[in-house]
């Protein structure tokens, strides 16, 4: 069934002289300016009974009627893929994503993605940008992912994310013996020679990563990481730049076999086929109630097993 948005209001006199789209974005803050611009373009916004363009100026006092139908955002197909739902209400979904699951359809991955699964689980997401997914994690990263179930929640959560008010904590296993935690503040952008990779570059966008030590082993460290910004592959790039690439990350690191390690440990490192990274904690302000929500996801079995083997190796060589 087609979803509709019906809104009625009056332009305040103090907004006189502003562009129509700007005034409406301020008048209806639950919806993004780009969404309102689309409604104006589609003649779904009436101003005193007429349908002006978004760049026209308002005088103040105009009667605004918005009668919009929410169109489907994409032609993605719903697929019955099992989801691990950590939290759900009428506005939000928080998913614990497994490894080897692509988030968005793309060339080579038009099906079998998290988006396909979400559209089957919650069909109304077809009218929300990116099927409601507010942020993404890599295909082989596990853990918590936030989904907005409607436009109002989506707009609110995107703003929270941009204002760095959504807190995301990860756990990772890295090569190297880290003595203490630190903050990495290095700008990131596309790799100058390998365009499919990201890198620390002087003219990149600001990127800030905080990390602390959970447990040290002989040649590896288990760390907690908190993102202040959300650049693509940020943790993987920043930790590799520091000299501590993630175990299993063949894009930003290389296979390092532990010196003097048992056959069990050597094989475990060799066979760990994804980056050892898990989104374990998500904290945000609820878009409707404004209450704080904190969700957790336990470490997946592959990382738990690797930590057990690293601990065993440490104890045997102490």
């Amino acid at each position: 069934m087609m979803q509709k948005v019906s809104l009625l209001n009056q332009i305040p006199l103090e907004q006189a002289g502003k562009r129509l789209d700007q005034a409406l974005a301020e008048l209806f803050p639950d919806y993004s300016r780009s969404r309102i611009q689309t409604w104006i373009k589609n003649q779904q916004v009436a101003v005193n009974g007429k349908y002006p363009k978004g760049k026209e100026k308002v005088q103040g006092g105009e009667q605004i009627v918005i009668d919009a139908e929410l169109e489907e955002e994409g032609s993605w197909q719903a697929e019955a893929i099992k989801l691990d739902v950590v939290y759900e209400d009428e506005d939000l979904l928080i998913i614990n994503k497994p490894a080897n699951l692509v988030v968005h359809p793309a060339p080579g991955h038009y099906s079998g993605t998290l988006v396909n699964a979400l559209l089957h689980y919650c069909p109304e997401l077809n009218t929300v940008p990116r099927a409601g997914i507010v942020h993404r994690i890599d295909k082989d990263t596990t853990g918590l992912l936030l989904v907005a179930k409607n436009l109002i929640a989506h707009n609110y959560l995107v703003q929270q994310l941009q204002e760095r008010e959504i807190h995301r904590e990860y756990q990772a296993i890295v090569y190297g013996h880290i003595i203490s935690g630190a903050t990495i503040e290095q700008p990131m952008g596309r790799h100058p020679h390998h365009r499919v990779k990201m890198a620390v570059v002087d003219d990149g966008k600001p990127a800030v990563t905080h990390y602390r030590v959970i447990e040290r082993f002989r040649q590896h460290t288990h760390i907690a990481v908190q993102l202040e910004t959300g650049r693509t592959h940020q943790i993987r790039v920043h930790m590799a730049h520091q000299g501590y690439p993630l175990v299993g990350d063949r894009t930003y690191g290389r296979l390092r076999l532990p010196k003097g390690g048992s056959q069990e440990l050597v094989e475990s490192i060799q066979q760990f086929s994804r980056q050892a990274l898990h989104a374990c904690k998500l904290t945000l302000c609820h878009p409707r109630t404004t209450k704080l929500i904190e969700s957790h996801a336990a470490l997946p079995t592959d990382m738990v097993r690797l930590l057990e083997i690293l601990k065993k190796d440490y104890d045997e060589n102490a």
Side-chain angles (χ1 to χ4, degrees), residues 240-254:
H241 184 74
Q242 294 292 101
Y244 304 112
L246 273 62
V247 170
D249 192 345
R250 305 293 193 264
T251 301
Y252 298 104
R254 58 180 178 81

Side-chain angles (χ1 to χ4, degrees), residues 170-234:
Y170 294 71
Q171 289 188 30
I173 304 169
V174 301
Y175 290 111
H177 194 265
I178 300 178
I179 300 302
S180 63
T183 294
I184 307 169
E185 196 164 352
Q186 296 285 350
M188 285 180 54
R190 287 289 172 187
H191 194 288
H193 306 299
H194 304 282
R195 302 303 292 173
V196 297
K197 295 173 61 174
M198 306 300 289
V200 169
V201 290
D202 291 338
D203 60 346
K205 294 180 179 179
V208 182
T209 304
H210 309 279
Y211 67 91
R212 59 181 173 82
V213 173
I214 296 176
E215 190 171 9
R216 300 178 191 87
F217 306 102
R218 284 198 311 122
Q219 299 166 58
H220 302 82
T221 308
H222 180 199
I223 61 173
V225 185
Q226 186 168 326
L227 289 178
E228 192 169 312
T229 54
R231 307 302 172 203
T232 301
H233 300 172
Q234 180 173 318

Side-chain angles (χ1 to χ4, degrees), residues 37-289:
Q37 287 171 337
T38 298
W39 290 342
I40 294 172
K41 182 179 179 181
N42 293 341
Q43 294 193 337
Q44 295 172 319
V45 177
V47 180
N48 290 339
K50 298 181 179 180
Y51 299 95
K53 295 181 179 179
K55 64 182 180 181
E56 292 188 19
K57 301 292 179 65
V58 298
Q59 303 299 316
E62 294 96 331
Q63 295 294 323
I64 304 297
V65 177
I66 297 178
D67 189 9
E69 291 184 346
L70 300 183
E71 298 178 353
E72 292 188 8
E73 293 284 334
S75 57
W76 308 306
Q77 297 299 311
E79 295 180 42
I81 301 169
K82 185 178 179 181
L83 292 173
D84 180 4
V85 178
V86 175
Y87 175 89
E88 182 176 11
D89 61 28
E90 61 184 321
D91 298 299
L92 302 179
L93 267 173
I94 299 178
I95 305 295
N96 183 16
K97 189 187 85 68
N100 199 35
L101 179 63
V102 175
V103 174
H104 289 104
H109 292 284
Y110 286 112
S111 63
T113 73
L114 180 60
V115 165
N116 301 113
L118 286 170
L119 291 175
H120 182 269
Y121 183 82
C122 187
E124 59 266 32
L125 287 173
N126 65 358
T127 62
V128 185
R130 296 180 177 271
I133 296 172
V134 176
H135 63 102
R136 69 171 65 196
I137 55 179
D138 298 333
K139 169 190 171 187
D140 290 326
T141 298
T142 56
L144 298 173
L145 198 69
L146 178 61
V147 180
K149 293 174 70 174
N150 53 64
L151 281 178
I152 294 175
H154 185 268
N155 187 49
Y156 184 91
L157 293 171
V158 167
Q159 288 182 11
Q160 269 198 72
L161 195 66
Q162 292 172 343
E163 294 167 7
R164 303 183 183 181
E165 294 175 349
I166 293 179
H167 301 287
R168 292 168 288 166
E169 187 171 306
Y170 294 71
Q171 289 188 30
I173 304 169
V174 301
Y175 290 111
H177 194 265
I178 300 178
I179 300 302
S180 63
T183 294
I184 307 169
E185 196 164 352
Q186 296 285 350
M188 285 180 54
R190 287 289 172 187
H191 194 288
H193 306 299
H194 304 282
R195 302 303 292 173
V196 297
K197 295 173 61 174
M198 306 300 289
V200 169
V201 290
D202 291 338
D203 60 346
K205 294 180 179 179
V208 182
T209 304
H210 309 279
Y211 67 91
R212 59 181 173 82
V213 173
I214 296 176
E215 190 171 9
R216 300 178 191 87
F217 306 102
R218 284 198 311 122
Q219 299 166 58
H220 302 82
T221 308
H222 180 199
I223 61 173
V225 185
Q226 186 168 326
L227 289 178
E228 192 169 312
T229 54
R231 307 302 172 203
T232 301
H233 300 172
Q234 180 173 318
I235 294 173
R236 300 164 63 189
V237 170
H238 269 177
M239 294 312 299
H241 184 74
Q242 294 292 101
Y244 304 112
L246 273 62
V247 170
D249 192 345
R250 305 293 193 264
T251 301
Y252 298 104
R254 58 180 178 81
L255 179 63
R256 298 186 192 177
L257 297 181
K259 296 178 181 178
S262 66
Q263 185 66 25
E264 181 184 36
L265 176 57
V266 169
E267 290 179 356
S268 295
I269 296 296
Q270 286 178 322
Q271 295 170 8
F272 205 93
S273 58
R274 69 177 186 93
Q275 62 267 10
L277 182 62
H278 176 70
C280 61
K281 182 179 176 182
L282 185 64
T283 307
L284 63 132
C285 183
H286 193 280
R288 187 183 299 267
T289 67

